[in-house]
Amino acid sequence: MAEFTPGTFSAQSDDQARGFLRRGVYVEQLEELFKFHRAEDIFIYQSELLFANSALFFKRLFKFLGFKDTRGCKKQALSAPLPRKNTKTPKRDLEPDERDALRALQDFYTPWNRQLGQFIAANVNPSSTFLNLSMWE
């Protein structure tokens, strides 16, 4: 498994950076959650899918929770647009140190994300999981 390399993220102390990085290792968090809760009681949804279609997220969540009829929900709550990103900021190329940091993060998380995909595939009911597992292959 990828390990933290001291000194990689000089903006934070190594201990702080290690703590921040470990919070993003979701497989460890799910393993702990599954020790105390049944798989059928856990709803997992990928944030990118939520941001892309919040109405679909709520529809799936309500179905998971057992609501048979969501007509009582305010329609605008299900289809409310997400806050827009600042579109006035022009895109720019990353600086070399930013590219290095991004590469270091990708190198760190790639094996953990593969393990997360395998864990989910083996332990989670597909009807309560909405993920694009191919992004972790």
Side-chain angles (χ1 to χ4, degrees):
M1 212 44 59
E3 290 298 322
F4 170 75
T5 304
T8 302
F9 303 98
S10 58
Q12 303 281 342
S13 74
D14 285 345
D15 288 339
Q16 282 180 311
R18 186 177 290 107
F20 291 138
L21 288 170
R22 295 304 290 193
R23 283 188 216 147
V25 179
Y26 299 121
V27 68
E28 293 177 343
Q29 297 174 32
L30 284 177
E31 287 171 342
E32 284 299 308
L33 187 66
F34 275 67
K35 288 179 183 177
F36 303 101
H37 299 280
R38 300 175 309 164
E40 58 267 20
D41 295 335
I42 299 173
F43 180 80
I44 299 173
Y45 209 92
Q46 188 172 335
S47 62
E48 291 86 351
L49 299 177
L50 164 63
F51 299 143
N53 189 339
S54 60
L56 181 60
F57 163 78
F58 283 107
K59 181 179 178 179
R60 289 175 170 172
L61 177 63
F62 292 152
K63 181 178 178 182
F64 173 78
L65 293 172
F67 294 119
K68 295 186 184 344
D69 184 2
T70 58
R71 286 180 289 179
C73 297
K74 292 183 179 181
K75 189 170 186 167
Q76 67 266 24
L78 294 177
S79 60
L82 294 170
R84 299 180 96 184
K85 291 183 179 178
N86 182 355
T87 56
K88 295 180 183 179
T89 304
K91 291 187 176 183
R92 64 175 179 79
D93 291 333
L94 295 176
E95 297 294 325
D97 58 336
E98 294 171 315
R99 283 193 303 270
D100 292 344
L102 179 60
R103 193 173 309 111
L105 287 169
Q106 290 169 332
D107 290 346
F108 178 82
Y109 284 116
T110 294
W112 290 110
N113 287 341
R114 281 192 192 113
Q115 186 177 347
L116 174 62
Q118 293 167 352
F119 177 84
I120 289 172
N123 295 287
V124 180
N125 180 345
S127 68
S128 64
T129 308
F130 302 95
L131 304 169
N132 177 5
L133 295 178
S134 64
M135 72 178 286
W136 296 325
E137 294 175 350

